[in-house]
Amino acid sequence: MRVPDGITNDLPFLTEFRRDLHAHPELGFEEVRTSDLVAKLLEEAGLKIHRGLGKTGVVGTLQIGNGTRSIGLRADMDALAMPELADRPYKSKEAGKMHACGHDGHTAMLLGAARHLARTRNFSGTVHFIFQPAEEGRGGAKRMVEDGLFRLFPCDAVYGLHNMPGLAPDEMAVVAGPQLASSDSWRLTFRGVGTHGAKPHLGRDPVTAAGTFLASLQSIVGRVVDPLQPAVVSACSVRAGDPKALNVIPDTVEIGGTARAYTPHVRDQLEEEIGRLARGTAEMYGIKVDYAFERRIPPVVNDAGASERALSAARAVFGEKTRTQFPPSTAGDDFAFFGLEAPGCYVWLGNGPAVDGALHHNTAYDFNDDAIGPGTTFWTTLVEQELSASAGL
């Protein structure tokens, strides 16, 4: 794999930029410093800048030649609310905040592509470099869309890239179809009648009801959803009673969790069946239940045409190390909202081995700087191929 000389020469700057972002992580919709730096550097490279979509979002536009096609490239900028425990020279300076998913690297690679393309100008058309805030569960992509992203910057296709530990930095996976699951939240409250723990017959016990519900929850995936359709239902939070009052049966139990699916039908099934099970359990124990299902992020499903073009660019960069088969992830990414507005493709770039088990969202995780060159080269190749200068003549 060959990285163009212009990108190679820029790697020391991009590496330092990435590590600076890592040392100064910002949470979703708080990426003020990050977006200031991105906007400044894009403007210095000669791009037209638009700020404020999704509060802290930045869009840099580069139009070259007379090509009429327009594409969007997206990088997420936000960090996670978690401590960085590994010791490194550029360790987070912000307590309780950490770039534990590689968004610092995503931002650096897309910035590198913008700088290189602005110098070489080897395409004909329009590229919108979309630097998105708040990917980590705070709704940044949806907010940008609602603020008019695709009305202001129409795209014939939109692309996203995410690092993947376990693949080498000179490997990329491009696969059409489902890539990431929907990410939805559910909450319920069992409402019983509290009483003395020694006299349960005088009340209506929501704790026992909660136990029955939790033990039955996996029957939805095991016995309702088609076994050939992937799905996940997890209870992740249970709140009941007071550990200082172990002789008191409480009035309520609150339970919450997540649901994941790859198709609208299974997503509908999960919403319906969690509620049905909750209501049935409440009826069994003679108590009441409040239930809510929040649809947060749709699944990321790669468009066939956009995937074919991304695959062509990946093969030009990574050659035989381009994977066309790679298992979808049950994680979610709000890039899905962009894919609802334009044909989209989301690709996986290798981040090297998971050192000491440090995967995404781990306190020891770090983006691999060796991936900056390959990732930046992929972005530039994708633009040069899809917006071929000869096609605009």
Side-chain angles (χ1 to χ4, degrees):
M1 190 193 84
R2 180 181 178 276
V3 176
D5 290 342
I7 295 175
T8 298
N9 294 337
D10 210 22
L11 285 179
F13 169 81
L14 295 174
T15 300
E16 183 62 29
F17 174 74
R18 200 284 298 183
R19 294 183 176 189
D20 177 76
L21 294 185
H22 191 94
H24 300 89
E26 296 174 301
L27 304 182
F29 298 126
E30 299 173 9
E31 307 95 336
V32 175
R33 181 182 185 275
T34 302
S35 60
D36 282 347
L37 287 171
V38 167
K40 175 178 178 290
L41 291 167
L42 291 175
E43 194 167 31
E44 289 176 354
L47 278 71
K48 184 178 179 181
I49 307 303
H50 188 286
R51 303 189 64 177
L53 296 179
K55 188 176 180 180
T56 48
V58 179
V59 180
T61 297
L62 185 60
Q63 183 174 4
I64 304 294
N66 57 5
T68 59
R69 190 167 176 81
S70 176
I71 62 175
L73 312 180
R74 173 269 209 169
D76 34 20
M77 301 187 293
D78 58 324
L80 284 151
M82 56 186 289
E84 181 166 12
L85 300 185
D87 192 18
R88 46 183 63 104
Y90 46 90
K91 181 178 180 179
S92 172
K93 299 180 183 298
E94 305 295 332
K97 300 178 185 180
M98 177 191 175
H99 269 295
C101 204
H103 297 185
D104 47 350
H106 300 168
T107 300
M109 288 185 290
L110 191 57
L111 175 67
R115 285 161 61 92
H116 183 72
L117 289 165
R119 290 190 300 264
T120 59
R121 303 171 66 86
N122 186 30
F123 68 93
S124 181
T126 302
V127 187
H128 301 300
F129 298 88
I130 303 166
F131 292 86
Q132 179 207 313
E135 185 278 326
E136 296 289 359
R138 298 191 177 193
K142 183 179 181 183
R143 177 82 169 269
M144 290 190 84
V145 171
E146 291 172 345
D147 286 351
L149 174 62
F150 290 95
R151 174 177 54 82
L152 295 169
F153 307 102
C155 293
D156 295 300
V158 63
Y159 298 91
L161 178 155
H162 205 290
N163 72 91
M164 177 54 68
L167 295 179
D170 61 350
E171 287 185 289
M172 176 169 279
V174 183
V175 184
Q179 291 304 294
L180 293 124
S182 57
S183 178
D184 300 322
S185 298
W186 55 270
R187 295 176 177 81
L188 60 88
T189 301
F190 285 119
R191 300 188 182 280
V193 177
T195 185
H196 197 296
K199 302 177 181 180
H201 61 291
L202 299 180
R204 295 285 184 176
D205 182 5
V207 175
T208 302
T212 297
F213 170 81
L214 291 169
S216 304
L217 191 62
Q218 294 310 315
S219 67
I220 296 173
V221 173
R223 288 294 178 267
V224 177
V225 175
D226 183 338
L228 298 180
Q229 293 291 332
V232 176
V233 178
S234 292
C236 302
S237 174
V238 179
R239 297 176 60 183
D242 188 328
K244 297 187 181 73
L246 297 182
N247 59 351
V248 176
I249 294 175
D251 290 296
T252 63
V253 177
E254 298 175 357
I255 306 174
T258 189
R260 309 287 171 119
Y262 294 103
T263 68
H265 174 65
V266 174
R267 199 179 186 193
D268 290 343
Q269 280 188 302
L270 298 183
E271 177 176 4
E272 179 181 351
E273 293 299 324
I274 296 170
R276 182 186 63 80
L277 182 60
R279 289 187 292 271
T281 302
E283 181 68 22
M284 181 190 306
Y285 286 94
I287 61 177
K288 298 184 181 301
V289 65
D290 301 327
Y291 169 65
F293 190 96
E294 179 187 0
R295 297 199 171 211
R296 298 176 55 251
I297 303 174
V300 173
V301 181
N302 282 351
D303 173 79
S307 298
E308 184 177 350
R309 295 189 294 274
L311 180 59
S312 174
R315 282 176 168 158
V317 177
F318 299 95
E320 294 181 355
K321 293 199 173 180
T322 302
R323 298 194 181 196
T324 57
Q325 293 186 346
F326 195 73
S329 170
T330 51
D333 192 309
D334 63 1
F335 177 82
F337 287 105
F338 293 171
L340 295 177
E341 300 295 323
C345 181
Y346 187 101
V347 305
W348 302 102
L349 171 67
N351 196 63
V355 179
D356 297 328
L359 296 167
H360 298 138
H361 296 212
N362 183 286
T363 55
Y365 176 82
D366 190 20
F367 181 83
N368 188 342
D369 290 326
D370 289 343
I372 295 177
T376 303
T377 303
F378 166 75
W379 278 138
T380 59
T381 303
L382 176 65
V383 170
E384 290 171 350
Q385 285 192 358
E386 183 154 353
L387 304 181
S388 171
S390 61
L393 297 178

